[in-house]
Amino acid sequence: MHLFSPSSSSPTSKATLTLFSPSQNPNNNSKFYFKIHTKTRTTIPCSSKESPPVLDPKPLSLESSRTNEPNSQESNIVIESKRDSLEGMLVVRRPEMEVAGEDSAESSGKESDDDNTKSVAVIDVGLEEFAKKMSVFEPERVGSSGSSPQEKPLNVNLDLALYKAKVLARRLKYKEAEEILQKCTSYWPEDGRPYVALGKILGKQSKTAAARAVYEKGCQATQGENPYIWQCWAVLENKMGNMRRARELFDAATVADKRHVAAWHGWAILELKQGNVKKARQLLAKGLKFCGGNEYVYQTLALLEAKANRYEQAQYLFRQATKCNPKSCASWLAWAQLEMQKENNLVARKLFEKAVQASPKNRFAWHVWGVFESNIGNIEKARKLLTIGHALNPRDAVLLQSLALLEYKHSTANLARVLFRKASELDPRHQPVWIAWGWMEWKEGNIPTARELYQKALSIDSTTESAARCLQAWGVLEQRAGNLSAARRLFRSSLNINSQSYVTWMTWAKLEDDQGNNVRAEEIRNLYFQQRTEVVDDVSWVTGFLDILDPAVDSIKKLLNMDQDPYKKAQEALRNISRGEEKGGDDSSAGNSSSNNIGNDKEGGGSSGLDLDSFIKERLSLDATKLDVNLETSAASPAPWRGKSPRSIWKPVKSNRKNVAKF
């Protein structure tokens, strides 16, 4: 083994290193001896335009130093560098991945003249190759494009992008939302949310083919394991009328996740629309079995029971729905409408209060409650409820429509016209507004205006249920005006849209009876009974299903008791409602308080206990004393399309109310 030992400094400009063997070690106390003599040199900096400096791992060229001792050349192995340029200097350079080693290999081959130098060069060449493979942090290359593959953004960016796309879609900026969601599908192809959002946006624009392609791509990307994509795809096919395909997709959604309650419920609604009540019940039962209690499933089952006139069963199911979600405004409203049909006014009002408390700004709650109060004769309270709903939802046309009809019946036609006009400006494509406005003008005797309004309603869409009602009303108008051929055509067109309308069939038959065509009238009645579709329900299924919901035998017997007094039914209903209010209280105290309320308001004309003024002031920051003032101000302002005073244009024509048909 040879050790480097310094020799005397050479007068030349080269640094010299001398190798000593261990036997020639002048220091007896040390096993290894070496000494390095350095000489100061001037370093030439590299230009920034040149290639980055590289650590040159070639062996340092050494040369035998010229010493004063004559025999030193024999005992020392001296290697002298043949280069006098900068390349021979000991300069530390940064390694680079893309360094070509051809020049260094050639130079090392030329410089190595003997076997010892070649052996050292082989080791250093190996180190050079190793250095080439090492990844080195290079600041000037990190920001350059194309140098490294694009990194995947964080998952939080997906949530932000989905929210931004949702906001853009609400503002009807569909193009910008689609671009954001397309990027989300490229960055996060395994997440199903971008596909669902993009498919819904395309569906709103009636781009059904593109929406179907997005859902199909999403199912492939998620390997068919995302039930939300299957379910949204099924809803799309259902809207397009592809019932068979929709059933297959709903089935796929339940296979992907049997606990996906939306798939079970959506599939059941499809079967209900097709008249398959038994199949729908089975699907809803499976939804409860696999997903547990769900407010929408209970509510749909309760509506089925109410339609079959099984009042107690419907009550029980509504109670289960409100227990699952006490904040479900839809469940409270559906239950309240059931009580309205049974004329349990106090119970219905209590449920309306529950619905408003669950969702104070819900426009449906204020609207249905206002219509209920109007039907039972509480006109002032109905006007107040509809006005509150309009103040909370100033862009809703339905509230203004009902308020206009209320004002026409109990106030003036001019005020109703202003409200109808405002409602039509808020939503020009809302057909019921134009139909109700036309009906009012017909009642006032303005036949040409009523025809124009009916025609406006049909120009929006002539295939909907509202269009069928419009054609039937228009037919009655033409019948009273003496245009019998036009009335028959309008009745026939209405039945082409909705062949199950009992009112239209009987109105047409009445027309033929009035004209003396008794045979034709009987044919029309027979046609109605022949084409009528009857929904057959299985009554025996109810008992078995309720056994699953409530295994207590006493509760089932009490539930299935159909021979109860209506007064006691109202007491029981209020008692069941109050159970949810008083936690820890017994049923007897709730029953006593309920019976006291019924005693004070048996017919439903009084108050059930909710201070409406305080409620809207505390929860909604509305002043009840200023609602009428705001309404009068908006109603008193003339419509922009009027050039003259309302009285000169809307002068009512005296009409014979006895000849007006009720429909």
Side-chain angles (χ1 to χ4, degrees):
M1 181 175 181
H2 293 79
L3 298 177
F4 291 98
S5 176
S7 63
S8 61
S9 300
S10 173
T12 62
S13 61
K14 298 181 180 180
T16 59
L17 296 176
T18 305
L19 295 174
F20 281 92
S21 62
S23 59
Q24 296 175 346
N25 187 357
N27 189 0
N28 295 330
N29 297 327
S30 176
K31 186 176 180 181
F32 301 100
Y33 171 78
F34 63 93
K35 187 182 296 183
I36 299 177
H37 284 226
T38 59
K39 193 172 184 180
T40 305
R41 295 189 179 275
T42 303
T43 305
I44 302 175
C46 298
S47 175
S48 60
K49 296 182 180 181
E50 297 178 359
S51 60
V54 182
L55 179 61
D56 192 357
K58 297 190 301 292
L60 180 65
S61 299
L62 302 177
E63 184 183 45
S64 176
S65 61
R66 298 178 182 179
T67 59
N68 295 330
E69 298 179 0
N71 296 330
S72 61
Q73 296 180 357
E74 297 178 359
S75 60
N76 301 331
I77 300 175
V78 181
I79 302 174
E80 183 178 359
S81 174
K82 296 182 179 180
R83 296 184 180 181
D84 296 332
S85 61
L86 183 62
E87 296 180 0
M89 299 174 59
L90 183 61
V91 181
V92 178
R93 301 181 183 181
R94 187 182 59 177
E96 185 176 350
M97 297 275 300
E98 298 85 11
V99 176
E102 296 178 357
D103 297 338
S104 59
E106 292 178 359
S107 60
S108 62
K110 293 179 181 179
E111 293 174 354
S112 56
D113 296 335
D114 52 2
D115 296 338
N116 295 331
T117 306
K118 290 181 180 180
S119 61
V120 177
V122 171
I123 298 175
D124 291 335
V125 169
L127 293 175
E128 180 182 5
E129 296 297 332
F130 177 77
K132 290 179 183 179
K133 299 178 181 179
M134 291 293 295
S135 58
V136 182
F137 177 73
E138 299 177 354
E140 58 267 14
R141 297 183 184 181
V142 170
S144 61
S145 60
S147 61
S148 62
Q150 191 174 9
E151 295 183 358
K152 183 178 179 179
L154 298 176
N155 291 333
V156 67
N157 295 310
L158 174 60
D159 299 331
L160 296 174
L162 291 174
Y163 177 76
K164 186 176 181 181
K166 183 179 180 180
V167 173
L168 291 173
R170 286 179 178 177
R171 298 175 181 175
L172 304 181
K173 297 181 180 180
Y174 294 126
K175 186 176 181 180
E176 293 85 346
E178 290 176 15
E179 293 177 357
I180 294 175
L181 294 174
Q182 289 288 359
K183 292 181 180 179
C184 291
T185 56
S186 61
Y187 283 123
W188 297 277
E190 70 283 353
D191 198 301
R193 291 177 293 173
Y195 300 102
V196 172
L198 183 57
K200 288 183 178 180
I201 290 177
L202 294 173
K204 290 180 180 179
Q205 304 176 73
S206 300
K207 300 179 180 179
T208 55
R212 185 188 290 112
V214 168
Y215 289 140
E216 185 175 0
K217 180 181 177 182
C219 291
Q220 293 177 356
T222 58
Q223 299 179 359
E225 297 179 356
N226 192 303
Y228 297 93
I229 304 178
W230 290 113
Q231 188 251 341
C232 292
W233 191 359
V235 172
L236 177 67
E237 298 294 342
N238 187 17
K239 290 181 179 179
M240 296 175 63
N242 302 328
M243 302 302 174
R244 182 177 179 181
R245 181 60 172 164
R247 289 188 179 96
E248 295 175 354
L249 295 171
F250 276 127
D251 191 13
T254 57
V255 171
D257 186 4
K258 64 180 180 180
R259 294 177 296 178
H260 189 63
V261 67
W264 296 109
H265 185 262
W267 193 356
I269 296 298
L270 183 149
E271 299 296 343
L272 284 176
K273 291 181 178 180
Q274 296 299 313
N276 303 326
V277 179
K278 188 174 181 179
K279 177 65 174 178
R281 288 184 180 277
Q282 293 175 357
L283 294 171
L284 293 172
K286 288 183 179 179
L288 291 177
K289 177 182 177 181
F290 296 119
C291 311
N294 183 269
E295 53 178 304
Y296 299 104
V297 177
Y298 282 127
Q299 179 182 337
T300 304
L301 285 170
L303 293 175
L304 287 176
E305 299 305 317
K307 190 175 182 180
N309 296 324
R310 292 190 284 268
Y311 173 68
E312 281 75 13
Q313 290 87 334
Q315 259 194 339
Y316 175 80
L317 293 169
F318 275 128
R319 194 176 303 114
Q320 295 298 322
T322 54
K323 284 182 179 179
C324 290
N325 184 11
K327 297 296 183 180
S328 176
C329 183
S331 299
W332 292 112
L333 284 179
W335 191 357
Q337 293 181 72
L338 175 64
E339 300 297 341
M340 285 172 53
Q341 295 176 3
K342 296 297 180 180
E343 297 182 355
N344 297 328
N345 296 332
L346 182 59
V347 179
R349 185 180 291 111
K350 186 72 174 179
L351 293 170
F352 280 125
E353 293 174 359
K354 287 286 187 179
V356 168
Q357 292 172 357
S359 180
K361 295 184 179 181
N362 190 292
R363 56 194 178 99
F364 300 104
W366 295 105
H367 177 254
V368 180
W369 190 5
V371 173
F372 162 73
E373 297 294 347
S374 175
N375 292 335
I376 63 177
N378 297 332
I379 306 303
E380 293 300 326
K381 188 169 185 178
R383 183 184 286 110
K384 186 176 184 178
L385 293 171
L386 293 174
T387 306
I388 294 173
H390 173 65
L392 297 173
N393 304 274
R395 303 295 301 173
D396 185 72
V398 181
L399 286 165
L400 283 178
Q401 172 193 337
S402 298
L403 190 58
L405 292 173
L406 180 68
E407 297 297 341
Y408 169 67
K409 186 176 181 180
H410 301 282
S411 181
T412 61
N414 289 334
L415 180 58
R417 289 188 182 100
V418 175
L419 294 172
F420 275 127
R421 179 61 183 175
K422 186 176 180 180
S424 63
E425 290 175 352
L426 289 177
D427 191 356
R429 297 190 60 82
H430 190 68
Q431 287 179 305
V433 171
W434 298 102
I435 298 172
W437 192 359
W439 175 83
M440 188 198 74
E441 296 299 340
W442 169 49
K443 288 279 189 176
E444 289 296 307
N446 301 322
I447 305 301
T449 305
R451 288 193 180 104
E452 292 177 2
L453 294 172
Y454 285 147
Q455 188 174 1
K456 176 64 178 178
L458 292 174
S459 65
I460 298 173
D461 193 350
S462 61
T463 61
T464 61
E465 295 290 335
S466 297
R469 289 191 293 270
C470 180
L471 289 168
Q472 188 266 343
W474 195 352
V476 174
L477 183 150
E478 297 298 340
Q479 178 185 355
R480 299 309 179 193
N483 302 324
L484 301 182
S485 60
R488 291 186 179 96
R489 289 197 301 268
L490 291 169
F491 290 145
R492 188 180 296 109
S493 300
S494 177
L495 293 173
N496 288 335
I497 300 174
N498 182 16
S499 62
Q500 303 297 313
S501 176
Y502 174 80
V503 176
T504 306
W505 283 104
M506 296 301 108
T507 305
W508 190 2
K510 182 67 168 55
L511 183 149
E512 300 298 341
D513 283 334
D514 294 340
Q515 298 300 317
N517 301 327
N518 297 328
V519 177
R520 178 59 176 164
E522 191 64 24
E523 290 177 355
I524 293 174
R525 294 187 182 95
N526 293 333
L527 284 174
Y528 165 71
F529 289 107
Q530 290 176 6
Q531 60 82 39
R532 184 182 59 177
T533 57
E534 295 184 359
V535 178
V536 180
D537 200 354
D538 187 8
V539 183
S540 61
W541 179 87
V542 181
T543 305
F545 181 71
L546 292 178
D547 288 338
I548 300 174
L549 297 181
D550 192 355
V553 180
D554 296 336
S555 300
I556 297 174
K557 290 181 179 179
K558 186 177 181 180
L559 182 64
L560 297 178
N561 187 8
M562 305 294 292
D563 300 328
Q564 291 185 2
D565 184 70
Y567 183 77
K568 294 182 179 179
K569 290 182 180 180
Q571 284 184 329
E572 182 65 23
L574 280 175
R575 186 180 297 110
N576 292 329
I577 296 171
S578 61
R579 286 176 185 173
E581 297 178 351
E582 303 177 2
K583 295 182 179 180
D586 54 356
D587 295 341
S588 60
S589 60
N592 293 332
S593 61
S594 302
S595 61
N596 293 333
N597 290 334
I598 295 175
N600 295 332
D601 184 16
K602 185 175 180 180
E603 299 298 329
S607 175
S608 60
L610 177 66
D611 189 354
L612 191 60
D613 295 342
S614 301
F615 175 76
I616 62 175
K617 186 175 181 179
E618 295 175 0
R619 296 287 301 273
L620 304 172
S621 301
L622 291 178
D623 190 356
T625 60
K626 297 181 180 180
L627 292 175
D628 294 338
V629 176
N630 296 333
L631 181 62
E632 291 175 1
T633 303
S634 62
S637 59
W641 57 281
R642 291 177 179 170
K644 300 180 181 180
S645 62
R647 292 184 179 181
S648 61
I649 294 180
W650 302 107
K651 186 176 180 181
V653 179
K654 190 175 182 180
S655 60
N656 188 3
R657 299 265 179 177
K658 296 181 180 180
N659 296 331
V660 177
K662 296 182 179 180
F663 59 93

